[in-house]
Amino acid sequence: MAGEIVDLAGGDGDLLLVGIQRRGVELAERLAALIESRTGRPVRRGKLDITLYRDDLQAIGPRPVVGETVLPPTLDGRTIVIVDDVLYTGRTIRAALDEFADFGRPRRILLAVLVDRGGRELPIQADVTGLRAAVAPGDRVDVSVVELDGRDGVEVSAGGAEP
Amino acid sequence: MTPALGKDLIGLEHLTRAQITAILDTAEPFKEVSERPIKKVPALRGKTIVNLFFEASTRTRISFEFAEKRLSADTVNVAASGSSVSKGETLVDTARNLEAMRIDMVVIRHQSSGAAKFLADRIRSNVVNAGDGKHEHPTQGLLDLLTLRDRFGRIEGLKVAICGDVLHSRVARSNIWGLLHLGAEVGVCGPPSLLPRNIAELGVTVLPRIEDAIQWADALNVLRLQLERMEAGFIPSLREYNRVFGVTSDRLARAPRDLVVLHPGPMNRGVEIDSDVADGPYSVILPQVTNGVAVRMAVLYLLAGGSPDWTAPAPGNEDR
């Protein structure tokens, strides 16, 4: 995945990898380290919590926990790679795109996801995908990372609430 | 998911430690929103909030208004003077008329203790208490807690002395409840005429002299001395008050540790607090104001889940 990002955007200065809270943040950190070792150039990291931009926020309560957002002061002219663990309906990415628009005008935004499980409800596709899996709508896909969960892994489980 | 706050925020007395902690934790990401190039998130888009202020207020009203606007809510300000309130309309009638225009939340400041609860029990909209008489001012208590947590990294075990007119202060009451819920030690310091009788029964240490408070505390929360207290005979004179209870840099210099000084504003410089303290290195008075917006955003965000059910019968109709 790091190689693909370098192929797509390695020539752009000011590359910014933004992880979507929470698992996306860890994945972005790892990808950024890999890209740095390949290109020898520093890669900026950011974090984004899209909770306040969710399109279902009016309807849900109790309220979801809001995580930390850390972005450079301006996004004008930058190339951003959004990093998330699972791409499903596309609504999270829609929210992230709206949130970026309130921070400035990036030159280009790419999307890298570890797992694309299908089931899109919006016209959004990833530029870089680690794993493609057709998962039934009711099933869950959970990504674990060592930093938060003690181990790395992708698990598909039947039933349960949607992510 | 965060612990639910329920429909309203009336005071800190009946909140749990988990609920208070959830509000403070939620305020953290909202601090960052106010530093963005566009200081606005769409979280409360489409919500209508009425700021119903029956009492003069600059800081609190503007702070709530910023919080509401930064969450993209639509806001209307109603002041008692110049509205139908001055024509003798009751509080409930005013609020029910506003509700008939389909509002979602009411932020209320009122001179009577209990007004916020009274209103909350009778309307469907969320109610946030922005200060009711001598009862509580919960968002002030929360922003004081957040400011202390920023400074010390914790509330548990902290010694906080609340100094001044504790008897008439809703800020003192919200602080006492909030601090006790989070495991701090609370002291109160002031002239006996301005301390509630039996306050020690709350588990609060009474510190008779300001020097005692400075020796004892990690932080001082210095309350505003309302000038009308002098007229009512609670204290002999403002100068006398400053001489005996004023927080001065001379007195702070004798503190065994670096103190943090809070003040809810507006300050009477030279009465309860000297200018060189208010503007000095101990003061966190302006960080308190900054935190006020974040805490109020957190409260509005946490309360605003879902929409009022307009088809349900209005609560409290039976006593109309």
Side-chain angles (χ1 to χ4, degrees):
Chain A
M1 288 176 73
E4 281 185 65
I5 293 172
V6 174
D7 289 345
L8 281 168
D12 298 5
D14 274 350
L15 189 63
L16 172 67
L17 261 64
V18 178
I20 305 288
Q21 294 278 14
R22 293 213 23 167
R23 303 292 182 275
V25 174
E26 313 303 334
L27 297 174
E29 174 57 40
R30 293 193 205 177
L31 284 171
L34 285 170
I35 294 169
E36 281 175 344
S37 69
R38 276 180 202 222
T39 61
R41 286 207 305 265
V43 174
R44 291 198 68 145
R45 281 87 152 158
K47 301 177 192 180
L48 188 69
D49 184 286
I50 55 90
T51 305
L52 302 172
Y53 282 73
R54 283 173 65 147
D55 56 8
D56 57 354
L57 200 53
Q58 306 309 326
I60 49 175
R63 291 309 187 122
V65 176
V66 185
E68 192 185 16
T69 292
V70 182
L71 290 172
T74 176
L75 301 180
D76 293 350
R78 287 182 182 282
T79 296
I80 297 176
V81 182
I82 302 173
V83 182
D84 204 0
D85 52 356
V86 180
L87 178 60
Y88 181 22
T89 62
R91 289 180 191 270
T92 298
I93 305 306
R94 194 281 310 161
L97 294 173
D98 283 357
E99 191 153 5
F100 283 137
D102 286 346
F103 276 88
R105 186 178 185 279
R107 197 176 80 81
R108 192 149 77 115
I109 303 180
L110 302 171
L111 173 61
V113 298
L114 187 64
V115 183
D116 179 350
R117 58 167 290 180
R120 221 76 78 237
E121 294 170 2
L122 293 171
I124 283 171
Q125 305 303 334
D127 300 284
V128 177
T129 306
L131 175 72
R132 253 175 252 279
V135 178
D139 295 347
R140 287 182 60 105
V141 177
D142 289 304
V143 171
S144 316
V145 293
V146 167
E147 294 88 335
L148 296 172
D149 311 298
R151 64 193 180 87
D152 284 337
V154 178
E155 266 171 58
V156 180
S157 47
E162 294 190 10
Chain B
M1 295 291 150
T2 52
L5 291 187
K7 181 172 88 71
D8 313 296
L9 178 67
I10 304 303
L12 300 189
E13 181 178 358
H14 299 296
L15 291 191
T16 63
R17 183 182 188 133
Q19 287 172 318
I20 294 173
T21 306
I23 298 171
L24 300 182
D25 290 347
T26 303
E28 291 294 338
F30 284 118
K31 289 180 187 171
E32 178 265 330
V33 172
S34 294
E35 308 297 329
R36 294 185 183 188
I38 294 178
K39 299 174 184 51
K40 214 174 174 68
V41 291
L44 260 58
R45 212 157 55 91
K47 297 278 183 199
T48 307
I49 305 181
V50 176
N51 299 313
L52 194 53
F53 277 66
F54 292 89
E55 224 183 45
S57 163
T58 307
R59 198 179 334 264
T60 304
R61 185 176 56 74
I62 290 175
S63 180
F64 266 109
E65 228 181 309
F66 274 137
E68 292 154 2
K69 288 186 193 309
R70 287 176 191 177
L71 291 169
S72 304
D74 297 309
T75 66
V76 177
N77 293 320
V78 181
S81 58
S83 70
S84 52
V85 174
S86 59
K87 298 181 186 170
E89 190 174 56
T90 68
L91 174 59
V92 167
D93 281 335
T94 302
R96 283 193 176 141
N97 277 278
L98 290 167
E99 274 211 312
M101 297 183 226
R102 294 297 181 260
I103 59 166
D104 298 290
M105 303 179 99
V106 178
V107 175
I108 180 176
R109 157 73 60 98
H110 199 281
Q111 61 278 6
S112 302
S113 306
K117 174 87 171 88
F118 178 83
L119 188 65
D121 288 345
R122 285 162 181 79
I123 64 175
R124 299 178 184 91
S125 311
N126 307 107
V127 173
V128 181
N129 184 5
D132 62 329
K134 295 165 196 146
H135 173 232
E136 281 218 44
H137 189 351
T139 56
Q140 178 72 44
L142 289 165
L143 75 88
D144 290 342
L145 291 171
L146 185 64
T147 308
L148 288 169
R149 201 174 75 166
D150 284 351
R151 272 304 152 119
F152 293 97
R154 66 189 165 91
I155 301 289
E156 175 111 51
L158 221 54
K159 290 179 169 175
V160 182
I162 300 167
C163 307
D165 184 3
V166 177
L167 181 63
H168 299 94
S169 174
R170 54 195 174 209
V171 175
R173 248 163 285 275
S174 288
N175 261 277
I176 291 171
W177 292 123
L179 288 163
L180 290 176
H181 284 320
L182 295 190
E185 286 183 59
V186 181
V188 292
C189 174
S193 59
L194 292 177
L195 294 183
R197 233 169 283 177
N198 307 328
I199 185 139
E201 286 171 17
L202 291 180
V204 164
T205 307
V206 177
L207 305 155
R209 301 176 333 145
I210 191 73
E211 289 83 359
D212 303 331
I214 288 169
Q215 282 299 314
W216 178 83
D218 298 305
L220 301 182
N221 199 340
V222 185
L223 301 171
R224 169 180 166 76
L225 186 77
Q226 290 179 313
L227 304 182
E228 52 268 33
R229 301 295 171 237
M230 187 179 68
E231 288 143 29
F234 286 98
I235 54 163
S237 78
L238 295 182
R239 187 189 288 180
E240 172 88 355
Y241 185 87
N242 179 256
R243 199 174 58 74
V244 181
F245 284 101
V247 177
T248 64
S249 50
D250 283 352
R251 287 185 168 136
L252 287 181
R254 275 176 239 132
R257 56 190 86 87
D258 280 349
L259 279 174
V260 167
V261 178
L262 299 93
H263 191 296
M267 284 185 277
N268 295 306
R269 287 170 182 265
V271 182
E272 72 269 5
I273 188 166
D274 277 9
S275 272
D276 50 359
V277 174
D279 305 327
Y282 304 127
S283 165
V284 290
I285 295 171
L286 293 176
Q288 282 177 275
V289 178
T290 306
N291 279 343
V293 177
V295 150
R296 291 178 176 116
M297 288 173 82
V299 167
L300 296 169
Y301 165 77
L302 291 170
L303 288 179
S307 296
D309 180 6
W310 297 111
T311 56
N317 256 334
E318 66 283 355
D319 59 10
R320 195 137 80 138

